[in-house]
Amino acid sequence: MLSDLSEEERSQVAKSITYRSYQANEVIYSQGDPGDHLYVVMYGTVSESMSLSRKNEVEDNEDECEFFVGEYFGEVSMVTDSQHTSTMTALETTCLMLISKQTFRGIFDENKAKLAELKIKALGEDVDLEHFLCHPKGYQLFLDFLEKEHASENIQFWYAVDRFDEMHHRLLKQYQLIESDSVTKVQ
């Protein structure tokens, strides 16, 4: 997930990383807790468990899933701004690298394609069409489909709205900078 980052983005992540150790059977987070970090296993093993009601919603219906060195978790809550859907517990002495939501968002919110790819990987079949369209390959696949169905004007309209939204956000940021500059000069 982090391998596609630029040197500048990697540097930003490196400056904000924290590490935390957990003892065997120590809960890292519980189902329903807010998703405020992405976790990477540095050493040890982490177990994921779900409540019975949540297991019924998940197709593979496994009782537990384990995460080992180099694997990450917590990304679904980060990309969906939702609470954790499972409880994570250290099975042995474990060290995790934590990337804060603020750092995560700072990197991925600036690049729609990277964020879309992460959402597609994290959410699988549950991904929204909007995220699929933000990814260059997804956009092209959808455009090909619409052209085959003689409905390409739909994607062209969506693309125009998306460009307008980006322009609006850039202008709003510029306006806020000018306004804050004016306040500073008056003082």
Side-chain angles (χ1 to χ4, degrees):
M1 174 184 59
L2 301 175
S3 62
D4 294 335
L5 299 181
S6 68
E7 283 299 316
E8 182 181 327
E9 291 167 331
R10 287 182 192 184
S11 176
Q12 184 181 350
V13 170
K15 290 176 188 175
S16 66
I17 287 174
T18 57
Y19 294 92
R20 175 131 188 249
S21 294
Y22 296 86
Q23 299 303 312
N25 300 315
E26 186 176 351
V27 173
I28 298 161
Y29 60 74
S30 297
Q31 183 174 335
D33 287 351
D36 52 3
H37 288 91
L38 174 73
Y39 301 83
V40 180
V41 180
M42 301 308 293
Y43 66 81
T45 308
V46 176
S47 173
E48 175 184 41
S49 57
M50 296 179 213
S51 69
L52 187 56
S53 62
R54 176 70 182 128
K55 281 184 203 175
N56 292 334
E57 296 173 18
V58 179
E59 285 182 25
D60 62 13
N61 212 10
E62 288 184 23
D63 285 344
E64 290 188 359
C65 181
E66 293 182 355
F67 293 82
F68 302 98
V69 174
E71 295 182 317
Y72 60 89
F73 56 91
E75 75 282 4
V76 173
S77 294
M78 297 288 274
V79 299
T80 61
D81 288 324
S82 62
Q83 298 174 336
H84 290 295
T85 58
S86 59
T87 297
M88 303 301 282
T89 306
L91 292 180
E92 58 187 330
T93 301
T94 299
C95 180
L96 300 177
M97 177 175 66
L98 283 67
I99 301 172
S100 72
K101 186 177 219 168
Q102 181 180 6
T103 299
F104 182 88
R105 286 298 194 173
I107 291 168
F108 288 100
D109 281 353
E110 294 299 316
N111 188 324
K112 282 187 170 187
K114 284 182 185 176
L115 183 60
E117 186 168 333
L118 187 58
K119 286 182 178 185
I120 290 167
K121 285 179 182 176
L123 300 174
E125 294 177 359
D126 295 331
V127 72
D128 292 333
L129 180 60
E130 173 189 359
H131 306 323
F132 184 74
L133 293 176
C134 287
H135 193 276
K137 289 180 183 176
Y139 176 81
Q140 187 59 51
L141 286 170
F142 195 64
L143 183 59
D144 292 346
F145 169 78
L146 289 175
E147 285 177 359
K148 187 174 98 178
E149 298 297 319
H150 307 291
S152 60
E153 68 278 355
N154 294 334
I155 194 76
Q156 292 165 356
F157 175 76
W158 177 86
Y159 186 65
V161 169
D162 190 53
R163 283 195 326 245
F164 176 80
D165 187 51
E166 287 177 10
M167 181 185 69
H168 174 260
H169 286 295
R170 279 195 308 271
L171 289 173
L172 189 59
K173 282 182 182 178
Q174 288 176 354
Y175 175 74
Q176 289 169 342
L177 287 173
I178 291 169
E179 192 174 84
S180 68
D181 241 9
S182 298
V183 170
T184 305
K185 288 179 183 177
V186 169
Q187 294 175 353

